[in-house]
Amino acid sequence: AQSVAQPEDQVNVAEGNPLTVKCTYSVSGNPYLFWYVQYPNRGLQFLLKYITGDNLVKGSYGFEAEFNKSQTSFHLKKPSALVSDSALYFCAVRDPRWGSSASKIIFGSGTRLSIRP
Amino acid sequence: ETGVTQSPTHLIKTRGQQVTLRCSSQSGHNTVSWYQQALGQGPQFIFQYYREEENGRGNFPPRFSGLQFPNYSSELNVNALELDDSALYLCASSRSGGTGGNNEQFFGPGTRLTVL
């Protein structure tokens, strides 16, 4: 079955340090992968996506993610964390075999990122 | 902020009642998806509407139904409410048209439904 795993419920990082939020997926074939961020009392905001091409994807707010097919991972990274990066982060996957629509995206359970000053 | 709006912001209902949630999609977007986000969990896909027809459905019972209107806005209807229906309901719009599977979705702020 298709799934997404975010193994860490919470990640704590000091401001200025690099951060990594982990995501692994289980989808047959070549997946479409996404990262979203959710701030308190707000909807999800799109950060970045991987469809095809370069394994390193750059997104909003200085975030990037690396697609690793052999490890079925799509970890989110940022070289230097900001306190304002503190939020809930969701990894999501879509199997392109599900059809040409944007439906049936599967989200992970989320990782709470906490950046301390 | 995205251009996706949802109403109402909060809603309290009792078991057995019916509820209608509304969503206005971002300008230029023709596809609307609905998600249920229970506390502490990731969003779960309910269904998607494209060109006023349901275009994919997750593992939700038929008492969850929806509509999409010619202006691409959408409604989510839930009948016979159960306690477990308490959640944040998120609407997301995107630009599809047959090849939109790789297009990101833009989410509204959600409607928090509490069922007592």
Side-chain angles (χ1 to χ4, degrees), chain A residues 25-32 67 69 72 93-97:
Chain A
Y25 65 90
S26 175
V27 172
S28 301
N30 298 315
Y32 296 165
F67 171 64
K69 188 171 183 178
T72 61
V93 64
R94 180 184 171 275
D95 186 339
R97 298 176 304 164

Side-chain angles (χ1 to χ4, degrees), chain A residues 32 34 36 38 41-46 49 51 88 90 94 99-110, chain B residues 1 35 37 40-43 45 48 55-57 88 90 94 96 98-105 107-109:
Chain A
Y32 296 165
F34 304 83
Y36 284 84
Q38 187 175 33
N41 301 316
R42 302 269 291 275
L44 277 70
Q45 295 179 31
F46 169 78
K49 66 182 179 183
I51 304 300
L88 190 56
F90 290 98
R94 180 184 171 275
S100 57
S101 71
S103 63
K104 209 160 186 187
I105 291 178
I106 294 178
F107 283 85
S109 56
Chain B
E1 295 289 342
Y35 294 84
Q37 185 178 17
Q41 297 183 22
F45 175 74
Q48 181 185 81
N55 186 33
R57 190 177 183 92
L88 180 68
L90 296 166
S94 59
S96 293
T99 58
N102 58 352
N103 288 340
E104 59 269 27
Q105 298 186 347
F107 284 79

Side-chain angles (χ1 to χ4, degrees), chain B residues 28-103:
Chain B
H29 288 182
N30 56 12
T31 300
V32 174
S33 300
W34 286 92
Y35 294 84
Q36 181 195 67
Q37 185 178 17
L39 199 61
Q41 297 183 22
Q44 300 290 314
F45 175 74
I46 302 175
F47 45 54
Q48 181 185 81
Y49 277 82
Y50 170 63
R51 290 185 174 177
E52 302 178 50
E53 292 197 0
E54 189 178 291
N55 186 33
R57 190 177 183 92
N59 295 324
F60 281 81
R63 60 189 184 84
F64 285 78
S65 63
L67 286 172
Q68 186 180 32
F69 300 100
N71 66 354
Y72 306 128
S73 65
S74 178
E75 288 182 355
L76 164 66
N77 300 290
V78 186
N79 293 323
L81 283 168
E82 301 176 359
L83 297 179
D84 285 348
D85 295 334
S86 296
L88 180 68
Y89 288 85
L90 296 166
C91 163
S93 74
S94 59
R95 187 171 55 245
S96 293
T99 58
N102 58 352
N103 288 340

